[in-house]
Amino acid sequence: MTSTDLLDDLADLDPDRAGVDDHVADLLFRDARSVARFLDREVPEDLVRRVHDVVRWGPTALNTVPLRLLLVRSPEARTRLAAHMAEGNRERVLAAPLTLVVAADPGFHRHMGRLTPHAPQLADVFAADAEGAERTARENAWLQAGYLVVGLRAAGLGVGPMGGFDKAGVDDDLLAGTGWRSLMVVNVGWPDGEGTHHARAPRLEWDEVARTV
Ligand SMILES: Cc1cc2nc3c(=O)[nH]c(=O)nc-3n(C[C@H](O)[C@H](O)[C@H](O)COP(=O)(O)O)c2cc1C
């Protein structure tokens, strides 16, 4: 079945019964937890690359595609990163099979001739507006970070996102020379059981988050 067939099938469904397939909903969201405990099993770079090959197609403003990833694997790099983590996150970075520094590239406009062939002049617009470039990079890399979390889960991996770390410290150390700005650190691997001791916390209800006008 092609994706077009699938879209046709979904479009044909009775709107009162249509929704996210239960297995997909469980895998990506309902059973997926923020993982702190992983099995001792290496995560091959090629698997992360294949996930990226998929999630890179998620939309970004003007097709800016500013997400950048640093894969932290060696004991030496892991120790360097752990030094920048908040205390409660330090051990997790040292113990995870693989850790990603998820970052934004404010220099994304270097690629815009290729990424926005319909409007190549945008490269010069962003080159002349460092603040706008940085804001655009951060907003859209965050959006891509969400796609990445869901994509890793879709490949059967568990994900432990962490914002508790010294971002300037990581930028000056592990990201030195790239110009990238770190956004979050994500442990990746196969969850050990549920992957966490924490009870699942509730989420807000539809009526609390949505308004129709
Ligand atoms: C951007 C972001 C930053 C986070 N930062 C941390 C962190 O620094 N330390 C930590 O233990 N968990 C962190 N978390 C995990 C959240 O607390 C967790 O995703 C949330 O409580 C939902 O948990 P659940 O997915 O198991 O339901 C972070 C999650 C996200 C998405």
Side-chain angles (χ1 to χ4, degrees):
M1 178 187 269
T2 68
S3 61
T4 312
D5 295 335
L6 183 61
L7 279 177
D8 285 346
D9 280 2
L10 290 172
D12 285 344
L13 275 182
D14 172 358
D16 290 331
R17 292 191 312 110
V20 181
D21 173 88
D22 267 337
H23 291 110
V24 173
D26 288 345
L27 177 70
L28 301 185
F29 295 105
R30 291 195 297 228
D31 289 345
R33 299 296 310 277
S34 294
V35 176
R37 291 183 295 117
F38 296 92
L39 298 178
D40 184 15
R41 187 174 161 198
E42 194 176 317
V43 179
E45 176 164 336
D46 209 50
L47 176 53
V48 181
R49 179 196 295 252
R50 286 198 298 275
V51 168
H52 176 263
D53 274 351
V54 174
V55 301
R56 68 189 171 133
W57 294 104
T60 54
L62 299 167
N63 201 32
T64 41
V65 199
L67 177 82
R68 303 291 181 266
L69 299 174
L70 181 74
L71 279 67
V72 179
R73 192 187 291 283
S74 74
E76 186 262 336
R78 201 174 276 290
T79 306
R80 270 170 71 195
L81 177 59
H84 300 290
M85 300 304 295
E87 204 172 317
N89 292 331
R90 206 162 287 156
E91 266 310 307
R92 293 183 188 173
V93 161
L94 294 172
L98 177 67
T99 302
L100 309 178
V101 176
V102 173
D105 181 7
F108 63 87
H109 42 87
R110 282 193 309 278
H111 303 286
M112 290 196 85
R114 186 155 56 99
L115 295 175
T116 53
H118 48 287
Q121 74 282 7
L122 286 172
D124 295 336
V125 173
F126 281 112
D129 176 13
E131 202 180 306
E134 171 127 8
R135 190 177 58 251
T136 301
R138 287 180 181 276
E139 286 175 359
N140 288 279
W142 267 119
L143 187 60
Q144 289 189 280
Y147 304 148
L148 178 70
V149 167
V150 174
L152 290 166
R153 287 175 168 180
L157 289 161
V159 178
M162 292 172 294
F165 66 97
D166 173 7
K167 299 187 175 67
V170 168
D171 296 358
D172 290 345
D173 183 0
L174 287 99
L175 300 184
T178 64
W180 302 353
R181 306 279 193 264
S182 57
L183 300 177
M184 70 172 172
V185 170
V186 181
N187 290 327
V188 181
W190 285 274
D192 185 358
E194 217 187 0
T196 177
H197 292 305
H198 294 295
R200 181 73 131 173
R203 302 299 200 253
L204 297 178
E205 301 298 333
W206 172 250
D207 291 342
E208 298 175 282
V209 303
R211 295 279 181 274
T212 301
V213 291

